[in-house]
Amino acid sequence: MTIDWFRDILVPVIGGLGLFMLGLEFMSNGIQALSVNKMRAFLAKAAGTPIKGVLAGTFITGVIQSSTAMTVMVVGLVNAGVVALRPAISVIMGANIGTTLGNGLIALPLGPLGLIFSGLFALVYVFAKSEKVRNIALACLGFALIFYGLNLMTGGLRPLRNMPEVMELMRSLKADNFGSLLICVSIAAVITALIHSSSATIGIVMGLGAAGILDWQTAVAFSLGADLGTTITSWMASWNLSKNAKRAAYAHISFNIIGVLVTIPLFFVSMQILQWVMTNYLGGDPGIAVLVNGKETFPLVPVAVGVYSTFFNIFNTALLFPFVGVFERVLSRVGHTKSEDVEDFSTPKYLDKTVTSDFGKAVHAVQAETQRHLLGGAMFLAIARGDKDAPVDPGSHHAATDILSRDIRAFTSNLFKDDMPYEQLDLVASLIEEADFTASLSESLHQVARRVKRETFGPEARELVDAAIQTVDVALRAIMPEASLNRPAMPAGHAQSQSVEDLRMRLLNYGPKIKAHERGAILALLGSVERSQLLIERIDAERKSVNRTGVVARATSATQARDSRDGGVGTLNPAPAG
């Protein structure tokens, strides 16, 4: 059979890779846009501890029968900020076990299913009116495209399996010494990396072993290489993702490499043990042929391969599980930059659900968290200035502050009670409004950073950009005087800050020294600066619209009086403000 390299190999491989990467992006974006708080809480229960993570990874992978898809999904969840690195490591450990629980299901038509579900979820995404439904459909569409993309790549490389040269090479292999063993493991790893499925490779090996093309010991060696080669897909999945997503992929690679390196010296001893187990408990010696319709077959070779593959992954997980914390610490240093030491604003610091019943403490917690949100928003100015300690990516920092904004709003809304006095209701409403203005301010400051980062400015234009940033910086001091931001002093002879109108007039009078595209970018930047100033003024006014100190003091006194009547102690410790 003649193989058309372009039609049969290049088109499906490249197309499948593109769909695979697009599916990963869709899944990550859909999850990010959904209720991150609920998703995080759900996964905290499913994989909140290393043991739960291993069990969750084993169970889910046992159901979907693809450690590749499971690992890619975990990498996507890490990229979306839903799963932290530590539980992700344990989930990936469990995925390695789960994929061995049903190697007989490797013939499932995952590719056609992926295409069908891609179409269905695409229709839901296009026609759905609810934003929540659209986001769910987007995430599911991405997951389906991952399956279909992997299937396309596998199909594109399938003709290589039918090449006589490839089959002749496999027949010539025999894992009867350490040198041949390393060759078998390496070849199986390469084949698995090409077809992106350890289960598929093991299925092929089972078939070759049962047909007598490979002896049973060589077939087992190939299954060892399949566990090594499957790591390439998670590595590919992390190419364009966050550093933590890359680290999750590196964890998968590290587990399997360490496991293979430990197992290879013990391979021939383990073969003797496996042969004894097979002979005494599992039907007989896998190396003895059975005549079926006059032809020799080796029906116990697939059993031996399956038993060894399962044992290898359980042994590897048991060996490395105690070192999950070590893996996390080591992987956290991989590619580490100073910008990663910046505080994570996606996780609340002061919002404690246990204080919601104490109005005074709850108000202090909301005020402290809102002020922290302001600090996170102000860091966009550090990004715009190019400070070394600032976050590198404005988009990632914006996603973190957006999650924090939702947490603040949800926590504050839960303070409403039916029997609250009007002044307390008014204060809670004021806190929600301030949180909303703060979120809008953070959005405007994100636009400032984004516009500065994506444009290259000449010296004259950069001077105006710096002046515009300084203008916002000075305005921020009215509502966050305690913030320790990097605020460089203006050159001698310059005012501490200039009005937006003055900066606009300077820009228009500069002449040809500032290029047209720079003018457009700076005018858009000044628009964001002006919106930021208006929001800063609105936040300041909102804080003064309600006598918050007085309302909290009266609420605290009422609580203490009620506790005294009930025989309680009634002591209150204010929540930390920073």
Side-chain angles (χ1 to χ4, degrees):
M1 182 182 68
T2 304
I3 297 176
D4 186 332
W5 281 85
F6 179 77
R7 185 190 65 192
D8 298 334
I9 297 178
L10 289 180
V11 170
V13 169
I14 295 175
L17 177 61
L19 288 176
F20 171 79
M21 300 298 289
L22 184 65
L24 184 67
E25 185 75 13
F26 282 175
M27 186 181 72
S28 183
N29 290 345
I31 293 170
Q32 179 70 50
L34 283 170
S35 178
V36 180
N37 304 324
K38 292 181 181 178
M39 182 70 78
R40 183 189 293 150
F42 170 77
L43 287 171
K45 294 179 181 178
T49 65
I51 292 178
K52 289 182 179 179
V54 170
L55 294 176
T58 302
F59 174 75
I60 296 173
T61 309
V63 171
I64 67 175
Q65 274 305 297
S66 175
S67 63
T68 296
M70 181 62 184
T71 304
V72 168
M73 182 171 66
V74 171
V75 169
L77 292 173
V78 172
N79 186 64
V82 176
V83 177
L85 181 59
R86 187 184 184 95
I89 291 173
S90 59
V91 170
I92 291 172
M93 281 184 169
N96 283 348
I97 299 175
T99 193
T100 66
L101 299 181
N103 281 322
L105 299 177
I106 60 174
L108 277 177
L110 294 179
L113 287 178
L115 183 58
I116 291 171
F117 283 112
S118 295
L120 290 175
F121 287 119
L123 291 174
V124 173
Y125 178 78
V126 170
F127 292 107
K129 302 298 182 183
S130 166
E131 192 65 25
K132 182 177 181 180
V133 173
R134 282 170 59 85
N135 289 326
I136 293 174
L138 182 64
C140 294
L141 170 61
F143 192 53
L145 283 176
I146 288 171
F147 271 114
Y148 185 56
L150 286 173
N151 181 262
L152 278 180
M153 285 188 281
T154 301
L157 291 163
R158 188 173 290 121
L160 298 179
R161 305 179 199 165
N162 300 321
M163 287 184 170
E165 297 86 352
V166 176
M167 296 306 298
E168 187 61 33
L169 174 64
M170 295 185 73
R171 288 192 188 98
S172 66
L173 295 171
K174 192 173 181 65
D176 54 1
N177 57 68
F178 280 110
S180 299
L181 173 62
L182 291 174
I183 293 174
C184 291
V185 169
S186 301
I187 291 175
V190 172
I191 293 173
T192 305
L194 290 175
I195 65 177
H196 304 287
S197 174
S198 61
S199 293
T201 301
I202 290 174
I204 295 169
V205 168
M206 287 177 174
L208 293 172
I213 297 174
L214 293 177
D215 72 89
W216 76 275
Q217 192 164 290
T218 304
V220 171
F222 266 74
S223 72
L224 193 61
D227 284 301
L228 187 62
T230 190
T231 60
I232 192 67
T233 305
S234 57
W235 174 67
M236 287 169 50
S238 70
W239 281 353
N240 195 36
L241 302 183
S242 67
K243 288 183 179 179
N244 259 358
K246 287 184 173 67
R247 288 164 184 155
Y250 297 157
H252 187 211
I253 295 169
S254 302
F255 295 150
N256 288 22
I257 289 178
I258 292 173
V260 169
L261 291 177
V262 170
T263 307
I264 283 178
L266 304 174
F267 181 79
F268 295 107
V269 174
S270 65
M271 288 301 95
Q272 295 175 9
I273 297 173
L274 178 60
Q275 189 172 26
W276 181 82
V277 171
M278 291 290 299
T279 301
N280 290 278
Y281 299 102
L282 297 176
D285 189 336
I288 298 177
V290 176
L291 288 177
V292 177
N293 297 326
K295 296 181 180 180
E296 284 190 348
T297 61
F298 298 82
L300 291 179
V301 172
V303 179
V305 171
V307 169
Y308 185 83
S309 181
T310 301
F311 169 78
F312 166 77
N313 285 288
I314 293 175
F315 170 77
N316 195 20
T317 299
L319 178 68
L320 299 177
F321 180 77
F323 303 100
V324 169
V326 176
F327 271 99
E328 181 190 23
R329 288 192 296 272
V330 172
L331 291 170
S332 294
R333 307 311 302 176
V334 175
H336 184 84
T337 60
K338 196 171 183 181
S339 63
E340 290 185 76
D341 294 328
V342 174
E343 182 177 356
D344 178 14
F345 285 89
S346 66
T347 304
K349 187 176 180 179
Y350 302 104
L351 303 183
D352 185 354
K353 290 182 179 180
T354 61
V355 304
T356 53
S357 59
D358 188 316
F359 186 76
K361 288 184 177 181
V363 168
H364 285 310
V366 173
Q367 288 177 310
E369 203 66 68
T370 302
Q371 196 69 6
R372 181 168 170 261
H373 187 195
L374 268 177
L375 179 61
M379 290 183 70
F380 285 114
L381 298 181
I383 295 175
R385 281 193 295 264
D387 293 352
K388 293 181 179 180
D389 296 337
V392 175
D393 180 22
S396 298
H397 186 61
H398 173 257
T401 56
D402 184 58
I403 293 172
L404 181 61
S405 172
R406 290 184 237 172
D407 284 334
I408 294 173
R409 184 169 61 249
F411 182 91
T412 311
S413 298
N414 287 332
L415 297 183
F416 282 119
K417 300 291 186 296
D418 293 337
D419 57 347
M420 288 178 72
Y422 177 81
E423 66 173 4
Q424 293 182 20
L425 293 171
D426 190 29
L427 174 52
V428 174
S430 177
L431 291 173
I432 292 176
E433 289 169 3
E434 181 187 345
D436 183 61
F437 292 136
T438 301
S440 298
L441 174 59
S442 182
E443 178 67 36
S444 294
L445 296 177
H446 170 233
Q447 292 299 324
V448 170
R450 193 168 64 90
R451 286 179 168 129
V452 172
K453 293 287 284 186
R454 71 184 180 187
E455 194 74 48
T456 301
F457 297 100
E460 292 81 5
R462 185 70 213 192
E463 182 184 350
L464 287 176
V465 169
D466 290 340
I469 295 172
Q470 184 74 4
T471 296
V472 185
D473 214 347
V474 171
L476 275 172
R477 299 179 195 185
I479 57 174
M480 47 185 309
E482 77 287 355
S484 56
L485 295 176
N486 177 22
R487 295 188 171 107
M490 295 294 288
H494 286 253
Q496 190 178 34
S497 68
Q498 301 176 57
S499 68
V500 171
E501 188 59 36
D502 288 341
L503 291 172
R504 183 176 182 276
M505 189 179 302
R506 284 180 58 193
L507 171 66
L508 297 178
N509 289 330
Y510 244 112
K513 291 183 178 180
I514 295 182
K515 299 176 182 178
H517 70 90
E518 292 178 326
R519 288 175 187 266
I522 294 175
L523 286 171
L525 174 65
L526 291 177
S528 297
V529 169
E530 190 168 21
R531 283 190 293 275
S532 299
Q533 288 178 319
L534 292 173
L535 287 166
I536 290 169
E537 292 174 3
R538 191 64 189 87
I539 291 171
D540 192 34
E542 186 60 50
R543 290 177 175 179
K544 298 174 181 176
S545 65
V546 177
N547 181 7
R548 298 179 176 183
T549 303
V551 173
V552 170
R554 286 189 288 274
T556 302
S557 298
T559 301
Q560 290 175 336
R562 184 172 60 252
D563 289 343
S564 297
R565 288 195 303 270
D566 296 339
V569 178
T571 57
L572 286 173
N573 295 317

